[in-house]
Amino acid sequence: MRTILIKASESRQLQRQIAGRRMTRAIAMRFVAGDTLDEGIEVSHRLARTGKTVTLDYLGESVTHEAEARAAAKAYLEAVARLEEEQLSSGVSLKPSQMGMVFSPALCTELLGGIADTASGRCDHITLDMEGSDVTEATIALVEQMHGDGYTYVGCAVQSYLHRTESDVKRLSALGASVRLCKGAYAEPADIAYQARDEVDASYSRCAEYLLAHGPYPRFATHDHRLIHFVTRTAARMHRPADDFEFQMLYGIRTTLQDELVSRGYRVRVYVPYGDQWYPYFMRRLAERPANLMFFLRQLVSR
Ligand SMILES: Cc1cc2nc3c(=O)[nH]c(=O)nc-3n(C[C@H](O)[C@H](O)[C@H](O)COP(=O)(O)OP(=O)(O)OC[C@H]3O[C@@H](n4cnc5c(N)ncnc54)[C@H](O)[C@@H]3O)c2cc1C
């Protein structure tokens, strides 16, 4: 079912059929701040009042035309300026495929450089989301290129389901890049990715342990309370201060756990997506949790 939903997230035809329904949109908005930057900023202020920071994500991915990539980059420039104006201690997350990486790596580098220039001194980080395994190497190479050009606040996500990730974590840590560690939200084959949940979790723990020992400001992106417990215990054992790493969760997911971590003195950053291209993001959230899918289907049937 997970693989089917992830495949469905990539279908433009299904997007047209499903995303157009008002009810689908209403459910998707549980995970998305809204269509506009104003809504993203409003949610960010609300989260800041509860002791959390944010990373803003302008939704969009797998663009196929230069104009779309340039429009996305422009949206990020506006977001960076607004974050500064609103005095929100924050950063941005973006997808390399949204900047044209798949059809023009040169365009992607140019646009990311422009965003990094504007973000300098204004944002506390830029994180490249990690997408399918076809762009993993290119995404890490892009972070290396950015660091070479002096943009040391650019990092990326890595996915513990990939066999290669333990070595990527070492490579990025040696570079001095801040890494966001997640489990992985795409469908990858068994020759390159762990398929069993306990293997993905064991890989997450190994990567987390390495990052706590050697990584600059690790970002642990998970809602899994067992892994969160592993991170807090390991950090304590290593005497890694609680202000030298952070937990990250997605907007709308496990809010009580977010609050509990804040009350225990941990840093929590919420990933806040906004924009009207929410369909693939929403489908991945359905794929992650059968209960979400059941809720969605029940609402569809009851109409
Ligand atoms: C801040 C952040 C950034 C991310 N960036 C990326 C990225 O760049 N690339 C990438 O491939 N993936 C990314 N992900 C997604 C990630 O890879 C997982 O797919 C997702 O976080 C679910 O895994 P989990 O660690 O929360 O553990 P799970 O074992 O899947 O979930 C643990 C518990 O969390 C809750 N939960 C998890 N997901 C949901 C959901 N969708 N709806 C409701 N409850 C849920 C449930 O209670 C579940 O039992 C990101 C996740 C986060 C939190």
Side-chain angles (χ1 to χ4, degrees):
M1 182 53 75
R2 181 173 176 271
T3 309
I4 294 171
L5 283 167
I6 290 167
K7 287 276 168 241
S9 77
E10 293 157 7
S11 161
R12 299 253 166 176
Q13 197 188 346
L14 274 179
Q15 173 162 7
R16 276 192 295 276
Q17 284 168 6
I18 297 179
R21 294 173 180 235
R22 209 162 354 138
M23 192 274 298
T24 310
R25 186 180 184 283
I27 298 175
M29 288 305 124
R30 181 193 148 185
F31 303 109
V32 176
D35 289 337
T36 64
L37 175 59
D38 278 347
E39 288 163 301
I41 293 289
E42 192 187 315
V43 165
S44 303
H45 275 301
R46 204 168 350 116
L47 290 164
R49 285 195 289 275
T50 60
K52 299 161 202 164
T53 55
V54 303
T55 183
L56 273 187
D57 168 59
Y58 176 64
L59 290 163
E61 53 198 83
S62 306
V63 307
T64 48
H65 295 95
E66 180 172 341
E68 286 176 278
R70 289 196 182 280
K74 186 164 170 273
Y76 272 103
L77 296 180
E78 284 163 13
V80 165
R82 261 311 273 293
L83 286 170
E84 187 191 31
E85 230 174 88
E86 303 277 337
Q87 299 185 333
L88 279 160
S89 151
S90 176
V92 293
S93 291
L94 58 85
K95 290 189 167 44
S97 78
Q98 188 180 17
M99 300 293 138
M101 177 189 264
V102 177
F103 67 90
S104 173
L107 175 67
C108 178
T109 308
E110 176 205 320
L111 296 178
L112 180 58
I115 296 168
D117 272 335
T118 306
S120 175
R122 293 169 146 172
C123 282
D124 55 18
H125 72 281
I126 295 176
T127 300
L128 308 185
D129 290 340
M130 192 55 84
E131 304 177 76
S133 55
D134 52 330
V135 292
T136 305
E137 180 55 35
T139 301
I140 292 174
L142 185 55
V143 174
E144 289 173 335
Q145 192 178 342
M146 288 290 133
H147 275 246
D149 293 342
Y151 302 117
T152 52
Y153 42 93
V154 177
C156 70
V158 293
Q159 300 151 323
S160 72
Y161 63 17
L162 291 183
H163 298 161
R164 60 175 286 164
T165 293
E166 274 183 83
S167 104
D168 289 339
V169 156
K170 292 176 186 163
R171 177 174 161 191
L172 287 158
S173 296
L175 181 70
S178 175
V179 166
R180 176 204 297 154
L181 179 63
C182 65
K183 291 188 187 182
Y186 297 79
E188 301 292 356
D191 57 329
I192 59 164
Y194 301 113
Q195 308 292 312
R197 188 194 163 90
D198 57 349
E199 287 180 317
V200 176
D201 291 357
S203 165
Y204 195 104
S205 300
R206 290 192 297 275
C207 293
E209 189 153 10
Y210 186 89
L211 286 170
L212 284 168
H214 307 286
Y217 199 73
R219 303 168 193 269
F220 299 105
T222 182
H223 315 93
D224 186 334
H225 61 273
R226 290 161 314 132
L227 289 176
I228 289 170
H229 184 56
F230 175 83
V231 169
T232 56
R233 245 185 322 134
T234 308
R237 176 168 55 78
M238 290 178 177
H239 304 291
R240 179 121 190 180
D243 63 358
D244 197 23
F245 63 93
E246 69 183 27
F247 292 107
Q248 296 194 347
M249 295 194 208
L250 301 176
Y251 174 67
I253 299 181
R254 301 211 80 173
T255 313
T256 311
L257 181 57
Q258 296 172 18
D259 291 335
E260 186 201 311
L261 286 167
V262 170
S263 71
R264 288 169 56 199
Y266 292 106
R267 291 184 168 192
V268 175
R269 186 180 298 275
V270 181
Y271 184 103
V272 177
Y274 69 95
D276 58 9
Q277 297 300 305
W278 46 262
Y279 169 79
Y281 180 85
F282 171 57
M283 293 302 280
R284 287 196 292 276
R285 302 298 75 83
L286 289 189
E288 277 158 6
R289 193 159 183 253
N292 289 348
L293 178 62
M294 293 315 294
F295 177 74
F296 179 59
L297 293 176
R298 267 202 306 274
Q299 299 299 308
L300 267 187
V301 171
S302 70
R303 299 275 150 152

